[in-house]
Amino acid sequence: MLIDSHGSLKLRPSTDNKQLTMSLVGDINLGQGIEERLVAGQAAFSEEIAGLLVADLVVGNLEGPQVTKATVNPERGGMKCRAELSAPLFELGFTHFNLANNHTMDCGADGMRETLDLLRQRGVANFGAGENLEAACKLVTVERKGLRLGFLGFSQPELDSATMAGAGVAPLHRQVVLDAVRAAQKQVDLLILSLHEGYEFSDVPRLDFYDFCHELVDEEGVRVIYGHHPHVPHGIEVRGESLILYSVGNFAFDLTYHRAHTYTRHSVIVKLELDSEGCHALRLEPVVLTAEHLLRPATATERQDILDHVLELSRLIQDRRTVADRNREFVEKVMSVVLDAPWQAALRNNRQEFERFCRSQIHRWPYAKVFCDFSEQVVGYQRLSQSPRDRA
């Protein structure tokens, strides 16, 4: 795969008259430093950003409820965005937001409902969350330039999966995804599958996610997979007629502990050219969230660094063994941190700190998943990538 100096990649010729463009961006949360700018009346996005996003469809992963009343459960922790500060985001021209992620429910069902209401008022479609499992997994369709597109979103299961009778996000359980994809393929010309999955700050996808994406494109005919959650860009894979974006990184997202990682603030807007067969060309537009929390286009030097980084990661993921090795190395590093925290609390005989750590961290699915992956790396235990029904 060769991305040229302009960030462009031609996958194949297109002779189809039905063509449209789509811009995809990663994780969005208007909190911390970005919120401080907005409260101070400063711009969070440079004037050029809206121009970089211009397309027939503009899609992002909206993390954190947009609320005026609902609050974050202090026992659980999490994030929220103040709805009255969100106008600059909507002025960028988004047409769709994925809500299948691990922060949509940080203010509970009430926060999700406030978010859905705000998006309806703003005329922005959404997918991946709802009042129950059926609603969360509902296919959202749009017709542009003679093409009927569908959107589905799924998130790695943490605390927030929708149930038959309870609000939440669509869970990234294998059979749930396959059932929804197979039904959707009969209704649209082209399906955009949005998947929120992975280890934060890792440079390659989790191995079982990597394999599942291959299954989705090779056996189920999905043409575009749009990934996010690691908060950094991953490599891009062209597989037959299909495009896999394992992670497009952050768009506008600031958390204190993110700031130590360069590529949480150096990322890309992915611009796709689509026809009835899928994506035939793409262009990467590098962007930077500055130390002052302003999102702007990358400078020439930053741009080349970001493009080189994505290209190198794209080379890495061509080899499954390399992906497996990188997974093992990353899991071992994470485990050293995750296990050290309760160990240090125990050494200090600090029961309250130990219990707080267990409540806020150990019981959450990302850590259960890391524990399970670590166990598999060491002694071959099965991963927690499937629902209990699938594992039975």
Side-chain angles (χ1 to χ4, degrees):
M1 185 184 74
L2 180 62
I3 300 173
D4 68 22
S5 60
H6 301 291
S8 297
L9 173 65
K10 188 76 172 178
L11 282 69
R12 57 175 171 81
S14 177
T15 57
D16 196 330
N17 292 327
K18 298 177 180 179
Q19 297 195 32
L20 58 81
T21 57
M22 179 165 60
S23 291
L24 296 173
V25 304
D27 301 323
I28 302 168
N29 184 277
L30 305 182
Q32 294 201 5
I34 299 173
E35 181 180 40
E36 291 170 8
R37 289 188 67 92
L38 294 170
V39 169
Q42 299 174 312
F45 307 100
S46 73
E47 293 181 358
E48 300 90 343
I49 293 297
L52 293 181
L53 287 170
V54 169
D56 296 310
L57 299 171
V58 183
V59 185
N61 174 52
L62 186 61
E63 292 221 54
Q66 312 291 303
V67 298
T68 56
K69 298 177 182 178
T71 59
V72 174
N73 182 337
E75 283 293 310
R76 168 206 167 109
M79 302 184 300
K80 68 175 182 178
C81 300
R82 293 163 56 180
E84 69 271 18
L85 298 177
S86 64
L89 179 63
F90 292 104
E91 291 167 1
L92 295 178
F94 283 95
T95 59
H96 293 74
F97 280 128
N98 171 74
L99 298 182
N101 58 61
N102 58 309
H103 288 294
T104 288
M105 301 298 290
D106 279 359
C107 291
D110 288 342
M112 182 199 73
R113 293 180 188 117
E114 281 197 61
T115 304
L116 295 178
D117 287 344
L118 177 64
L119 295 181
R120 277 192 288 267
Q121 292 167 16
R122 291 286 187 171
V124 180
N126 66 87
F127 53 93
E131 291 291 344
N132 51 46
L133 183 61
E134 181 180 5
C137 296
K138 183 179 179 181
L139 176 69
V140 170
T141 61
V142 60
E143 193 158 340
R144 291 282 193 282
K145 297 184 176 179
L147 281 177
R148 185 172 177 81
L149 271 70
F151 294 89
L152 288 171
F154 299 90
S155 176
Q156 60 184 35
E158 296 190 14
L159 305 177
D160 303 322
S161 296
T163 64
M164 296 301 290
V169 301
L172 209 167
H173 289 317
R174 180 175 179 276
Q175 198 57 51
V176 172
V177 176
L178 291 177
D179 289 346
V181 165
R182 290 165 182 169
Q185 295 282 46
K186 302 172 184 177
Q187 303 178 54
V188 297
D189 299 315
L190 186 61
L191 177 64
I192 310 300
L193 187 58
S194 176
L195 302 179
H196 194 73
E197 217 279 355
Y199 296 133
E200 289 189 352
F201 317 133
S202 67
D203 58 9
V204 297
R206 288 201 321 123
L207 188 61
D208 54 345
F209 179 60
Y210 176 84
D211 289 339
F212 188 38
C213 287
H214 285 185
E215 178 184 354
L216 288 165
V217 302
D218 295 347
E219 300 181 26
E220 303 300 329
V222 175
R223 290 290 176 255
V224 178
I225 293 179
Y226 154 54
H228 29 81
H229 181 58
H231 297 298
V232 292
H234 281 182
I236 298 168
E237 187 173 13
V238 178
R239 197 168 175 88
E241 295 295 317
S242 298
L243 176 70
I244 306 175
L245 306 163
Y246 288 102
S247 171
V248 294
N250 282 342
F251 179 62
F253 199 113
D254 176 54
L255 286 177
T256 303
Y257 75 95
H258 282 203
R259 297 172 189 172
H261 301 266
T262 298
Y263 292 105
T264 63
R265 305 175 80 82
H266 288 206
S267 193
V268 291
I269 297 169
V270 183
K271 307 198 74 172
L272 306 183
E273 296 180 24
L274 304 169
D275 59 22
S276 58
E277 297 300 318
C279 177
H280 62 86
L282 68 81
R283 180 181 174 91
L284 303 181
E285 293 288 357
V287 293
V288 168
L289 186 67
T290 69
E292 294 75 33
H293 317 300
L294 172 71
L295 188 71
R296 60 161 173 78
T299 65
T301 301
E302 292 165 341
R303 179 184 180 87
Q304 193 58 55
D305 173 76
I306 294 168
L307 292 176
D308 288 347
H309 180 67
V310 172
L311 184 56
E312 176 59 25
L313 295 180
S314 299
R315 292 193 186 104
L316 286 179
I317 59 174
Q318 302 306 310
D319 179 52
R320 188 178 185 277
R321 182 181 294 276
T322 300
V323 175
D325 289 345
R326 290 294 185 105
N327 269 253
R328 182 172 57 255
E329 293 167 6
F330 187 82
V331 166
E332 288 172 353
K333 289 179 182 179
V334 171
M335 288 301 296
S336 68
V337 174
V338 172
L339 290 177
D340 186 62
W343 172 246
Q344 293 299 329
L347 288 179
R348 292 191 295 270
N349 197 27
N350 189 334
R351 180 173 178 176
Q352 184 178 11
E353 181 181 347
F354 179 76
E355 290 179 348
R356 181 205 61 78
F357 182 87
C358 289
R359 282 199 308 273
S360 64
Q361 303 298 338
I362 295 295
H363 78 293
R364 290 176 67 91
W365 266 92
Y367 288 93
K369 182 172 62 181
V370 174
F371 274 113
C372 189
D373 284 356
F374 179 72
S375 298
E376 177 165 316
Q377 302 287 3
V378 175
V379 292
Y381 285 174
Q382 183 177 358
R383 296 171 188 269
L384 291 179
S385 61
Q386 298 174 317
S387 68
R389 181 184 62 189
D390 295 329
R391 295 196 302 271

